[in-house]
Amino acid sequence: MATTFKDARNRTWDMALNINAFRRVRDRLEINLLDGQQAIDRLLNDPAMLVDTIFVIAMPQCETAGVTDEDFGEAMGGDAIDAATVAFLEAFVNFSPPAKRRALTKLLAKIRQLEAMRAQKAEQQVDAGVLDTLVEKELQQTDQRIQKILKSS
């Protein structure tokens, strides 16, 4: 599994997870990656914290390249965050003991499958005009509120 990613400035970073990286994250961000699923859930639901965590993991590389946390953050968006998330999760699986690694690999595959299904469903709803209907309904309600305000003035 690949544990490298490119940021928006085309710089390559390696998500090499080891005990020193875990310590840096714990000491600087007060996140214990050894909490496993709880820590991962927290990071996946907070993109800014995820990028901070990835920066701290890559800190030795960043120091060598002269990249500050602000420089790093500015190069993280959209595709870069997605690639970094995949690299981080795969590095986390690779770091895990062999007994857990197979289960985590399967879990990661299921998460990706679920995300793809969610994206497909959202796309289908947009294509089916669901958003158009919601927008039209909201516009009608707003128009009714405005008319009511104008009549009471």
Side-chain angles (χ1 to χ4, degrees), residues 25 29 47-57 69 72:
V25 171
L29 302 175
M49 183 62 73
L50 176 64
V51 170
D52 287 344
T53 300
I54 290 169
F55 171 76
V56 171
I57 292 167
D69 61 340
F72 189 85

Side-chain angles (χ1 to χ4, degrees), residues 61-109:
Q61 298 166 68
C62 292
E63 289 171 353
T64 299
V67 175
T68 66
D69 61 340
E70 285 191 25
D71 294 334
F72 189 85
E74 287 176 5
M76 295 298 290
D79 292 343
I81 289 179
D82 187 53
T85 301
V86 169
F88 168 74
L89 291 172
E90 290 181 355
F92 188 83
V93 168
N94 291 344
F95 177 83
S96 301
K100 287 185 177 181
R101 197 172 301 144
R102 283 187 53 197
L104 288 172
T105 299
K106 288 179 180 182
L107 178 62
L108 189 54

Side-chain angles (χ1 to χ4, degrees), residues 98-127:
K100 287 185 177 181
R101 197 172 301 144
R102 283 187 53 197
L104 288 172
T105 299
K106 288 179 180 182
L107 178 62
L108 189 54
K110 286 292 183 188
I111 290 170
R112 288 186 183 137
Q113 182 183 15
L114 179 62
E115 288 174 349
M117 289 168 57
R118 281 184 184 158
Q120 183 180 16
K121 183 165 178 80
E123 211 173 305
Q124 288 170 347
Q125 289 178 333
V126 170
D127 291 344

